[in-house]
Amino acid sequence: MTETNTRVALVTGGTGGIGRAVVDRLAEDGFALAVHYAGNKAKADETVKAVEARGGRAIAVAGDVADEVAMAAAFDAVEAEFGGIDVVVNTAGIMLLSPIATLNLDDLDRMHRTNIRGTFVVSQQAARRLRRGGALINVSSSLTRLQFPTYGAYAASKGAVEAMTLVLARELRGKDITVNAVAPGPTATPLFLEGKDQAALDNLSKAAPLERLGTPEDIAEPIAFLAGPARWINGQTVYANGGIA
């Protein structure tokens, strides 16, 4: 075990659009990073090398977020490398769209496994392991408030993320650990852009008063705030959406 005074963050889905931006942003703040990935080791290794090239410390850890054994092993690896964990940012998630009336229930189960069970498993590990002064930030979605057609099942899964986040914040009374959720609006990530034509993207870009889609960096900024100086924000969902809702 390597003891360090540097704060340590584990970012699940750390190679995705928002996850990668969070890794880069927390590295700027001096965190040592654990970049979690589910399947793309090469992308995780590239992310680690990018942090190291800027003088930071990082490792890659693997595992299915919904598998409690795999995620316990991932947390073990982070603690073995850095001596502890101060911040967990849970960006891992999937989005499968369909009207509720015609949704394939296998797709519902897939989203439930990753978005709900996965968030629960990671939150459970974080609740057990975060050091005093730590923070857990889960990622919800502003789609829980927007009522967009075809997003019903996805929004439902993210509503569950918010519910467990706000309850956990109260359950950790006395541990000096904050628990919050960040709820992005339409954000230009590969996950969000997939399957949308230019007309749809143009309409979404105009929906917010700022008249653009969010960027992964827009979402990483409030996450970094909650991970660092925002110690008096606890048990909240922060809507990072440019004013769309």
Side-chain angles (χ1 to χ4, degrees):
M1 179 182 291
T2 302
E3 295 293 341
T4 176
N5 292 323
T6 301
R7 298 191 80 207
V8 177
L10 166 62
V11 181
T12 73
T15 63
I18 290 173
R20 173 61 187 268
V22 170
V23 168
D24 291 342
R25 182 64 180 80
L26 293 182
E28 288 179 14
D29 284 349
F31 279 81
L33 272 304
V35 180
H36 163 269
Y37 67 98
N40 194 333
K41 184 178 187 301
K43 199 170 182 181
D45 289 342
E46 185 275 325
T47 302
V48 167
K49 289 177 182 176
V51 172
E52 292 175 337
R54 297 193 299 270
R57 296 180 63 194
I59 61 169
V61 294
D64 173 1
V65 288
D67 183 332
E68 65 274 24
V69 175
M71 291 315 297
F75 274 74
D76 286 344
V78 181
E79 290 176 337
E81 178 68 23
F82 296 124
I85 305 175
D86 301 287
V87 171
V88 171
V89 183
N90 197 25
T91 78
I94 61 173
M95 181 168 62
L96 303 169
L97 304 182
S98 169
I100 291 171
T102 56
L103 178 69
N104 184 317
L105 292 180
D106 288 341
D107 288 345
L108 178 66
D109 290 342
R110 286 177 59 198
M111 281 191 288
H112 184 287
R113 176 173 172 78
T114 298
N115 297 356
I116 301 179
R117 181 186 169 96
T119 298
F120 196 99
V121 166
V122 172
S123 296
Q124 188 175 68
Q125 287 294 323
R128 295 169 178 173
R129 302 200 194 214
L130 283 171
R131 295 188 283 207
R132 292 188 69 85
L136 167 64
I137 302 107
N138 288 322
V139 175
S140 178
S141 172
S142 291
L143 289 160
T144 59
R145 301 172 68 176
L146 292 174
Q147 298 91 46
F148 284 176
T150 75
Y151 286 87
Y154 176 75
S157 75
K158 291 301 189 176
V161 168
E162 292 186 15
M164 73 178 80
T165 299
L166 305 191
V167 169
L168 182 57
R170 277 72 185 176
E171 291 180 345
L172 295 185
R173 173 183 291 274
K175 295 183 178 293
D176 192 26
I177 293 168
T178 61
V179 186
N180 293 288
V182 170
T187 304
T189 66
L191 178 68
F192 182 80
L193 297 175
E194 184 178 354
K196 294 180 176 67
D197 60 23
Q198 191 59 49
L201 294 175
D202 290 343
N203 287 334
L204 288 165
S205 296
K206 292 181 175 66
L210 297 177
E211 295 190 331
R212 65 174 177 84
L213 293 177
T215 67
E217 292 73 22
D218 289 325
I219 312 308
E221 199 63 38
I223 288 174
F225 182 55
L226 294 170
R231 298 301 303 164
W232 200 234
I233 300 176
N234 188 29
Q236 305 297 319
T237 299
V238 177
Y239 291 89
N241 58 32
I244 194 173

